[in-house]
Amino acid sequence: MIRLPGFIQALRGLHPGLGLVLLVALIGGGAPLQGAFGQPTNVQAVLDQGAAAGANVEQMRTVAERARQAGLSEGAVASLLEPAVALAEQDLPTDPLLSKTLEGLAKQVPASRMQPVLQQYRARTEQAGAVVTRWAQRDAVQQLLGAENAASEAAPQTNDRASLVAAIAEARQQGVAATHIESFLAGLPDGVERRPVPMSDVAAAVNVLPDLPDNGASPETATQLVTAALNAGYSPESLRQLPSALRSARQNSNRPVDVLAQGTAQAITKGAPAASVLQSLFQGSFPGGGPPPGVGNGPPGNGPPGTGPDTGKPPGTGPPDNPPDDPPRRQWSTREFRRRRAVAFSNPARHSSAAASKIRTAVVPSGAT
C-alpha cells in the first residue's frame, strides 16, 4: 500500500512532467492509497480484512452501501467499518456496533459525529470482553455455568459469550457503572443455587440492569432482584418484562419502585412463579398479595401501621386511632339560627344547597323551632 504524502515527496525529485504522469497513472490504475490521516480508502480491502477476521461481512456490505448512498467518501466509508474489523480480530462481537452504524446512517448523523461514538463503543466492547474472560475463568463461575461439562458444545458457548459481552458493552454505554456490573457477576456463584445457568441467561439479566435504575431502583436492589430471578430459573423473556412490570406497578400503586423491587425479590425467593409475579406487578400489587414484612411504602421504620416511615407518610398525617362516629356539629344562638334559616329559605337563589344543608343539620337551640 502506498502512502500518499511520502510518495508525492519522492516524485518531486523526478522531472516535473514525468512525476505528474506517474501519479496520474497510479491513481487511474487503482493503486490503493492512504489519506493524509492514515484512513484506508479501499473499502473492498477493509471488507476482505473483516471477512478474514470472522466479522459479519454481509452487514458490513450493507453499511458500505448505505454510507455511499448518503454521499460519504470512500475514506469515510472505510473509517466506519474499521472498528468492526478491529473487534472481529479480537474474537469479539461486531453485530451490535454495525447495527449502531446503520442506525446513525438512517438518522443522517454526519460521519464526523458517528466515528467518536463508534470508537467508544469499540472500547466498551473490548473492556466487556476482558471482564467476561476474567469472570469465566473462575472455578466457581465454571461450576455455575456448567462449563466443565460443555467441552463438546464449543459453538453454543462461543455464541453465549458473545451475547454476554454485547450485553455488558450496551449496559456500560447506557450508563451502568463497571463496578456495578462486575459486582453483580461476582455475586452470582453464591447468589444462584441452581446449576447450570446458561451464559445467555446471564446476558439477559445484564440487559435488564440499565432499565431498573431508570425506574428508581437502587443498584443494590436491582442486583438483588435480578439474582433472585436467575436463581428461580426465570426465562430471558420473563427477565426482560421485569422493568416494565415494575413501572406499571409504580404507576398503579404510587409505591416507590425500590420498595416494589425489594418486595418482588422476596416473593421470588419464596417461590412465586414468574407468571404470577408479572401479573401482580402489571396490576399494581405486590406479588403474593401484599408487601412482605419490613417492606412498606417507604424506608423501613418503627412507626405504627399506616403512618410513619413504614409507609412513607409523616407521623400524625393518618386517620385518628379512634375516630368519632360523627363530625362535630355547628352550634348557634337562637337568634342567629332563626336569622340564617329565614334568609336561606326565603331566597334560595342566593344560597347554595350546601349552605342550606349546614343550617338544617346544625344543632337547634331549644325553643328555636
Side-chain angles (χ1 to χ4, degrees):
M1 181 173 289
I2 302 174
R3 296 184 181 273
L4 186 58
F7 186 63
I8 292 177
Q9 186 67 28
L11 289 177
R12 287 176 180 171
L14 301 176
H15 188 278
L18 178 60
L20 180 60
V21 170
L22 288 174
L23 179 60
V24 172
L26 285 170
I27 295 177
L33 302 175
Q34 266 196 335
F37 298 100
Q39 297 291 350
T41 58
N42 191 328
V43 174
Q44 185 57 49
V46 178
L47 292 172
D48 293 342
Q49 188 179 358
N56 187 334
V57 181
E58 290 302 319
Q59 200 172 16
M60 290 180 65
R61 288 198 180 99
T62 302
V63 169
E65 180 182 353
R66 301 279 176 82
R68 285 165 175 156
Q69 291 174 354
L72 273 63
S73 67
E74 290 294 286
V77 174
S79 68
L80 293 180
L81 298 173
E82 187 274 335
V85 175
L87 291 179
E89 290 176 339
Q90 302 173 69
D91 196 24
L92 294 171
T94 61
D95 287 0
L97 186 144
L98 291 171
S99 296
K100 288 191 176 295
T101 308
L102 290 171
E103 180 182 347
L105 291 170
K107 294 180 179 178
Q108 299 181 348
V109 179
S112 59
R113 287 177 52 195
M114 290 175 58
Q115 289 169 1
V117 174
L118 296 177
Q119 291 295 346
Q120 182 189 54
Y121 201 88
R122 167 191 167 179
R124 300 279 198 205
T125 305
E126 291 171 343
Q127 294 164 5
V131 168
V132 172
T133 298
R134 290 195 302 268
W135 179 69
Q137 287 175 346
R138 296 174 51 192
D139 291 341
V141 172
Q142 291 185 13
Q143 294 174 9
L144 172 74
L145 301 174
E148 69 276 5
N149 298 322
S152 61
E153 301 178 3
Q157 288 291 321
T158 300
N159 293 336
D160 288 351
R161 179 182 182 275
S163 65
L164 180 55
V165 170
I168 294 174
E170 182 62 27
R172 292 285 292 113
Q173 197 73 5
Q174 294 187 37
V176 181
T179 53
H180 179 196
I181 297 174
E182 294 191 41
S183 175
F184 166 70
L185 293 175
L188 290 182
D190 293 331
V192 178
E193 297 178 356
R194 72 181 180 99
R195 298 289 189 275
V197 177
M199 196 177 285
S200 57
D201 287 6
V202 179
V206 173
N207 279 324
V208 168
L209 293 179
D211 297 327
L212 292 173
D214 285 348
N215 287 348
S218 66
E220 295 77 14
T221 301
T223 295
Q224 177 188 6
L225 173 60
V226 177
T227 301
L230 274 178
N231 187 46
Y234 279 31
S235 68
E237 180 57 31
S238 296
L239 286 167
R240 280 190 288 267
Q241 291 187 47
L242 276 175
S244 58
L246 285 168
R247 190 180 304 115
S248 179
R250 170 69 182 89
Q251 294 170 349
N252 293 329
S253 69
N254 289 326
R255 290 187 174 103
V257 168
D258 206 57
V259 172
L260 289 165
Q262 291 176 30
T264 302
Q266 293 185 31
I268 292 173
T269 301
K270 291 180 179 179
S276 173
V277 167
L278 293 172
Q279 181 179 9
S280 296
L281 290 174
F282 279 120
Q283 293 176 349
S285 60
F286 268 104
V295 178
N297 288 336
N302 298 318
T307 61
D310 280 342
T311 59
K313 301 177 183 178
T317 60
D321 293 336
N322 298 302
D325 293 336
D326 294 305
R329 304 177 71 183
R330 189 184 299 271
Q331 295 189 13
W332 288 317
S333 66
T334 301
R335 177 180 296 179
E336 180 66 13
F337 176 81
R338 288 175 175 172
R339 186 187 70 80
R340 287 177 178 268
R341 184 174 64 176
V343 171
F345 287 99
S346 64
N347 191 0
R350 294 181 54 193
H351 298 274
S352 66
S353 60
S357 176
K358 290 180 180 178
I359 295 174
R360 294 190 189 96
T361 58
V363 175
V364 181
S366 59
T369 56

